[in-house]
Amino acid sequence: EAGRIALDHAEAIFRTAEDLVATLRERGGARQVLRVGALSTLSRNFQIGFIAPFLAREDVEVVLRSGPQAQLLAGLEALALDVVLTNHPPARDAASRHLVHRIAEQPVSLIGPPALAGRPLAELLAREPLILPTAEGVLRAGLDALFETLSIVPRIAAEADDMAMLRLLARSGAGLAAIPPIVVRDELATGQLAELARFEGLTESFHAVTLRRRFPNPLVREALDAARAAARTMAQGAD
């Protein structure tokens, strides 16, 4: 037992030393570095929004890496990343060093050509081809429950687990897409696409995962605060 306690203390000291070295490396140059990992299927607009406050700063360099969640979390554990952006928060237990910050919650809407605006949601779902997230996603479970409630057998034109691909499919006119409006923010602004209806009670949450560190990168706190402020502003605008 004494040996186990000594080993635990040694590991804690080693992690603290690694943490300090990583933080000093980030602050050692003339420019600070923020290393961000993003789930490869995550909305590009959300990713850009998260790093936007730093893009015009000459004293900050942003390194953005995308990949599968397991790989990104491993990079976080190895202190190669400061924060991981995801819409699938990792499971936590008492031994976990992960801190999961929910920084935004977006409504999910039916997106399509402006010419279809004004038609009832149930009619659109029953008659028009649909572009949906794949069955493994959280959003799809809510959509399938709605189809069951409305006794609708959807005409599925395409499925994708990548928000960028869902955006491209919506732009191509392949069908009506069930996605958060932020994914097609630019197309909505130009009038190329329209928000035809909103799915009440169905939302997608965006999370930032950090590591419990004794010497955290101060840019992470700035990024989290800015992201939450932007989310509040967007929510107030929607109201």
Side-chain angles (χ1 to χ4, degrees), residues 76 82 85 143 159 206:
L76 189 66
D82 297 308
L85 304 179
L143 290 167
E159 298 176 275
F206 296 93

Side-chain angles (χ1 to χ4, degrees), residues 93-113:
D93 56 32
S96 175
R97 297 175 65 203
H98 295 149
L99 299 174
V100 181
H101 314 264
R102 189 171 75 170
I103 54 178
E105 187 174 75
Q106 295 290 332
V108 178
S109 298
L110 193 63
I111 304 294

Side-chain angles (χ1 to χ4, degrees), residues 11 36 47 56 150 155 161 176 178 182 188 210 214:
E11 289 178 345
V36 180
Q47 295 179 44
L150 297 176
R155 295 172 52 201
D161 63 357
L176 308 185
I182 190 175
L188 293 176
T210 60
R214 186 167 296 183

Side-chain angles (χ1 to χ4, degrees), residues 39-40 67-78 81 84 86 88 90 98:
L39 191 64
S40 56
Q69 183 144 306
Q71 178 182 324
L72 296 175
L73 293 178
L76 189 66
E77 289 280 354
L81 295 172
V84 170
T86 180
H88 298 287
H98 295 149

Side-chain angles (χ1 to χ4, degrees), residues 4 12 14-15 19 31 39 41 47 60 73 89 95 106 108 111-112 126 135-136 141 144 147 162 180 182 225 234:
R4 178 71 259 176
F14 181 70
R15 284 198 301 267
D19 193 358
R31 304 179 74 194
L39 191 64
T41 57
Q47 295 179 44
V60 175
L73 293 178
Q106 295 290 332
V108 178
I111 304 294
E136 296 80 11
D144 286 345
F147 297 145
D162 186 316
I182 190 175
D225 290 344
M234 184 176 296

Side-chain angles (χ1 to χ4, degrees), residues 6 15 21-22 28 75 106 141 151 153 180 183 189 209 237:
R15 284 198 301 267
V21 169
Q106 295 290 332
S151 299
V153 178
V183 176
V209 184

